[in-house]
């Protein structure tokens, strides 16, 4: 004999919802990885494309050029000699 259970289809609907959520999550993860693999492949292709074919030779290190400083000798101030004061006259215009 079999046991009687109350099964009215709600369990079937719940199982389908879980499977739909699981499939959606798997699809999201697969798309995420596919997009990032594509982006990384494109970056790698562009980086490889722009590489120079021959490695340029490094120039020999140059001796640093000497640095010259221009230094002016301090000049002694000349003594100020004042001339005789001039007289300034303001003419009245008559106004």
């Amino acid at each position: 004999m079999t046991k009687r259970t109350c099964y009215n289809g709600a369990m079937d609907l719940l199982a389908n919802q879980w499977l739909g959520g699981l499939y959606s999550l798997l699809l999201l993860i697969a798309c995420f990885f596919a997009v990032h693999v594509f982006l990384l492949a494109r970056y790698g292709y562009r980086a490889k494309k722009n590489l120079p074919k021959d490695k340029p030779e490094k120039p020999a290190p140059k001796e640093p050029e000497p640095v010259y400083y221009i230094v002016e000798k301090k000049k002694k101030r000349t003594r100020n000699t004042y001339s005789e004061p001039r007289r300034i006259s303001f003419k009245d215009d008559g106004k």
Side-chain angles (χ1 to χ4, degrees):
M1 263 189 147
T2 60
K3 286 185 181 180
R4 286 192 105 169
T5 57
C6 182
Y7 184 71
N8 58 2
M11 297 294 267
D12 195 27
L13 183 62
L14 186 61
N16 285 339
Q17 286 176 348
W18 280 104
L19 283 176
L22 180 66
Y23 289 147
S24 296
L25 182 65
L26 290 175
L27 184 63
L28 175 72
I29 291 170
C31 290
F32 179 82
F33 281 119
V35 166
H36 283 84
V37 165
F38 173 74
L39 288 176
L40 290 174
R42 191 173 81 181
Y43 290 149
Y45 176 73
R46 286 183 178 174
K48 191 175 182 182
K49 186 178 178 182
N50 293 334
L51 285 177
K53 294 183 180 180
D54 296 329
K55 291 184 179 178
E57 293 181 14
K58 292 183 180 177
K62 295 181 181 177
E63 264 186 50
E65 294 182 14
V67 178
Y68 297 102
Y69 296 100
I70 299 173
V71 180
E72 291 184 16
K73 188 176 178 182
K74 264 189 168 178
K75 294 180 182 176
K76 204 174 192 184
R77 273 193 177 176
T78 58
R79 269 186 111 178
N80 290 336
T81 55
Y82 298 107
S83 61
E84 289 291 322
R86 291 185 285 169
R87 186 163 187 90
I88 300 172
S89 61
F90 297 98
K91 293 184 179 180
D92 193 14
D93 290 2
K95 289 183 181 178

